[in-house]
Amino acid sequence: MLSVTWLVIAVPLASAFLLLLAGKRSNAWGHWLGVLASGSTFVVGLGAFIEMLGLDAEERATSVHLFSWIPGDALNLDAGLLVDPLSLTFVLLVSFVGTLIHVYSVAYMEHDANRRIFFAYLNLFVASMLLLVLADSYLLLFVGWEGVGLASYLLIGFWNHKREYATAANKAFFVNRIGDIGLILAMGLMFTYLGGVDFETVFAAAPEASVGVLTAIGLTLLLAACGKSAQFPLQSWLGDAMAGPTPVSALIHAATMVTAGVYLIVRSAPIFDGAPDARVVVAIVGAITLLLGALIGMAKDDLKKALAASTMSQIGYMMLAAGLGPVGYAFAIFHLVTHGFFKAGMFLGAGSVMHGMRDQVDMRRFGALRTSMVVTWATFGLGWLAILGIPPFSGYFSKDKIIEAAFVGEGWHPWVFGSAALVGAGLTAFYMSRLFFMTFHGKARWTDDQHPHESPKLMTIPMMILAVGSAFLGLILATGDRFVTWLEPVTGHAEEHEPVIAVPVLIAATLVLVALGLLAAWRKYGTADVPTEPPAASLATIAARNDMFQDSVNRAVFERPGTHLTRTLVYADTAIVDGAVNGEAASIAKTGEVVRRLQTGQVRSYAALMLVGLATIVIIAVVGGN
Amino acid sequence: MNPIAFVYLAAVLFAIGSAAVLLRRNAIIAFMGVELMLNAANLALVAFSRIHGEIDGQVMAFFVMVVAAAEVVVGLAIIIAVFRARQTISLDEPAELKG
């Protein structure tokens, strides 16, 4: 199966094109073709996984040569796939969660006239995402990178007849372009200083390259990761991206695409190994985002936007772990996988709630849904316990390891990063519990036309499977350090480091903070009445409700000066360039006005002029001749 | 007889011709003025030919006569066409080319 891994890209891509080209005649079966294409990727991925398990740890990286892509002297690049434990982890995550979400979407999008196109886009996304993680060069990765960006844009704006949804899609696209510039610059630097853009060449040349070059490459890669993974300061698009249908939010904007930045950082480990400064910046960005996302999540009343803020915050954890170096790589990916399960599960739960509540997303209009949506409540609850990090659910094994790893090191790093991760855990407990209690507990605050009901089986079964994963995946993968050992061929063996605070103390502190956050949320949103209108709040809450004014900051710092600059340039163009051209034309026209008078139309005056002219010529000839 | 007198005569004829072209409004008269100027030029050419004892001027005079004959045909045709269109042969009447 390893040698035919290319099928996982080709099959969904072919399915996407078939669905787009076949038109309305495939409306009846198009969605099942989409499910089948996605399911087949999981089968191939699973086959490759089983085959890889039979190999020794050192032989687990398989290169699959596809074709000679850019032949030439200066840049000789082959298109190929790199199947190793890291990429295979992603293949399994993307194809498994992706297939479940495909199944879920069959029911969720049942009444949408364009369901077939939706599945075509979903297939396109799966193909691009798998290309992104399987590529063996940065350039091929970039193709997948752009592909997922395109799919994300198409799916956020899937209901683009609503103006603000179309705007949200554009916003996501533009912000992602800024990140893409980072990746392009990184590739340019690699090509100039490291001699190529394929992983093999780059990673072989990285240890000899100067620290400055590696830092520059690392920072540009970080810019790319920030754009794709909605990290500070490019995080503003993720909240608006919730305009897309909820399965899209679950698959693309929670479980898979937004984690591509983490993948990029971990994959580029040899570069960051030589650039400690860039690595610290990665950790700082992760720490800022995890706190920022948590604070925003605490104030949002929109169910999906609160989950989006949570996603941002959790990816902040992964970034922080990736910025810690070899000690954190495996945990970054571990958290990425468990997060993929519990966050996708919770998003599907949110979709189920919206399905039963006439597309309401305002949590102040929910409450007491536990009794009418038992399956959704139970599956969401397992995801909630997992993200809180309560043992033995999966978040405990992944997030607490990140907190421990953040406390490893010397100087100020462990204290700053560790405290951020620790505080973030408490905040996470608060905002996720708030979200959970506001939705499922307390008093019913429904509007009159809402009659909550459980979703159909096609939706609840994927939720149950993801909930089982949220509950047990962490335990299964953490037992005997299975996951860390599995990734070791890629991330390298990390020496055991002692955190600056003893591990049992850290675990206790984390659990106490989580319990405090949970209790605070229970007292405020579980037992007390929740007003249906957001109450007047402190400045901090208002800031958090408005995404920390990120849009205003962007507008003031980038958009306004940009607008002024272009206006000035347009003015200069009109005044100077156009002025010169138009002035010349005007002066010629004026000359013409004057010269025109000579044309009287009188035959005799022409004759007189000719005579005068002739006489002048003769006089000049005669006088000049002497 | 001194041949230079023919040159003076040619100059006088040329002046009369050009005066007719410039001063008269009647197209036929103006046209006659043009013919007079051409013949004045012919006379001058022949006179110079005689003065210099060379035959070039006389050859040139023949060319001018041929051109003048053709020019008469075209010129009169234009005058008749203008007359048919406007019922007048005044030179001041058509002024469509005024800028």
Side-chain angles (χ1 to χ4, degrees), chain A residues 596-597 599-609 611 614, chain B residues 14 18 21-25 37 91-92 94-95 97-99:
Chain A
R596 206 177 63 145
R597 304 251 161 81
Q599 301 291 336
T600 57
Q602 296 290 328
V603 179
R604 293 188 301 141
S605 77
Y606 292 142
L609 273 178
L611 196 67
L614 188 70
Chain B
F14 192 87
S18 48
V21 170
L22 291 181
L23 299 178
R24 298 300 297 266
R25 289 195 181 82
M37 287 160 79
L91 282 180
D92 288 355
L97 285 178
K98 180 171 166 48

Side-chain angles (χ1 to χ4, degrees), chain A residues 14 117 129 153 200 202 215 277 285 298 302 308 315 361 369 373 402 417 455 476 541 553 577 622:
Chain A
I117 298 173
M129 187 70 203
Y153 164 78
E200 210 182 326
V202 170
T215 307
D277 290 344
V285 165
M298 284 164 73
D302 181 317
I315 297 171
V361 287
L369 290 175
M373 307 176 96
I402 293 181
F417 297 147
S455 302
I476 295 168
T541 313
V553 170
V577 179
V622 171

